[in-house]
């Protein structure tokens, strides 16, 4: 983290470690990277689609569904570290809603990512409806916490 290493990796235990850095050797083209991070975010949206109805009491608590949604998000976002190269900034050939601030305030972006990772761990550790409901707000807030500063609204 301190070294600014570009990592958002899921280790075997399921611990989410994340950060952003200079992006060493980028395996992907700018277009692939932007599409991949948007697909990761769509998985985040899908994850909310599983969790929010439970929070609202519209669906029964379902630990397996919650865990599956978190796992799907983890898979979709596994390459996170590689998706923030200089060539993926706004204004390039591929449209992105990422804001310039991601590159001018790397520490802030990293902190927003860490807040997300921590909140996600909290939800993952929850074992019943009460603990899920207690853990969820931090996760919901972490989305907005990053978007507010680092994502241009769509449309
Ligand atoms: C660390 C920062 C960060 C966190 C945390 C974060 N997002 Fe995002 N999100 C972004 C950025 C940046 C974009 C724009 C990506 C682009 O267009 O290149 C984005 C885009 C999106 C999109 C639009 C995807 C598309 O293009 O269709 C959705 C939906 C989304 N986020 C949902 C979420 C949800 C839900 C959470 C929380 C569970 C979340 N995000 C957490 C940074 C973040």
């Amino acid at each position: 983290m301190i070294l600014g290493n570009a990592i958002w990796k899921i280790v075997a235990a399921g611990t989410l470690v994340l950060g952003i850095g200079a992006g060493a050797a980028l395996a992907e083209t700018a277009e692939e990277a932007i599409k991949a991070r948007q697909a990761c975010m769509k998985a985040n949206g899908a994850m909310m689609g599983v969790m929010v109805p439970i929070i609202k009491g519209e669906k029964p608590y379902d630990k397996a569904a919650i865990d599956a949604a978190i796992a799907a998000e983890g898979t979709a976002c596994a390459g996170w570290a590689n998706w923030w190269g200089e060539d993926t900034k706004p204004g390039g050939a591929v449209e992105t809603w990422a804001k310039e601030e991601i590159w001018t305030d790397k520490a802030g972006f990293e902190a927003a990512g860490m807040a997300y990772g921590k909140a996600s761990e909290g939800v993952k550790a929850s074992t019943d409806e009460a603990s899920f409901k207690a853990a969820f707000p931090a996760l919901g807030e972490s989305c907005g916490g990053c978007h507010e500063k680092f994502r241009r609204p769509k449309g």
Side-chain angles (χ1 to χ4, degrees):
M1 253 10 86
I2 289 153
L3 298 174
N5 251 352
I7 42 164
W8 181 341
K9 70 179 177 206
I10 320 291
V11 297
T15 311
L16 189 68
V17 184
L18 109 175
I20 182 180
L26 297 179
E28 285 136 315
T29 64
E31 179 171 6
E32 283 164 350
I34 290 170
K35 296 243 162 85
R37 71 197 187 201
Q38 290 171 346
C40 153
M41 283 297 151
K42 286 192 173 85
N44 263 324
M47 184 178 74
M48 286 292 125
V50 170
M51 294 179 184
V52 170
I54 296 173
I55 291 294
K56 287 186 173 164
E58 294 164 5
K59 287 223 171 118
Y61 173 73
D62 184 344
K63 165 105 179 121
I66 291 166
D67 286 350
I70 295 175
E73 193 274 353
T75 301
C77 299
W80 178 267
N82 298 325
W83 298 334
W84 310 96
E86 296 285 322
D87 58 351
T88 68
K89 285 181 175 181
V94 185
E95 177 144 44
T96 172
W97 284 263
K99 278 167 118 179
E100 196 68 42
E101 279 79 353
I102 289 173
W103 291 269
T104 57
D105 180 11
K106 284 187 181 172
F109 187 61
E110 189 169 316
M114 293 294 291
Y116 166 82
K118 196 164 166 251
S120 171
E121 281 304 308
V123 169
K124 218 161 130 186
S126 66
T127 49
D128 57 18
E129 185 164 3
S131 57
F132 169 63
K133 288 192 168 168
F136 178 81
L139 182 64
E141 282 157 25
S142 76
C143 312
C146 185
H147 290 169
E148 205 175 296
K149 213 165 162 194
F150 299 108
R151 177 198 175 202
R152 178 166 65 84
K154 267 196 165 173

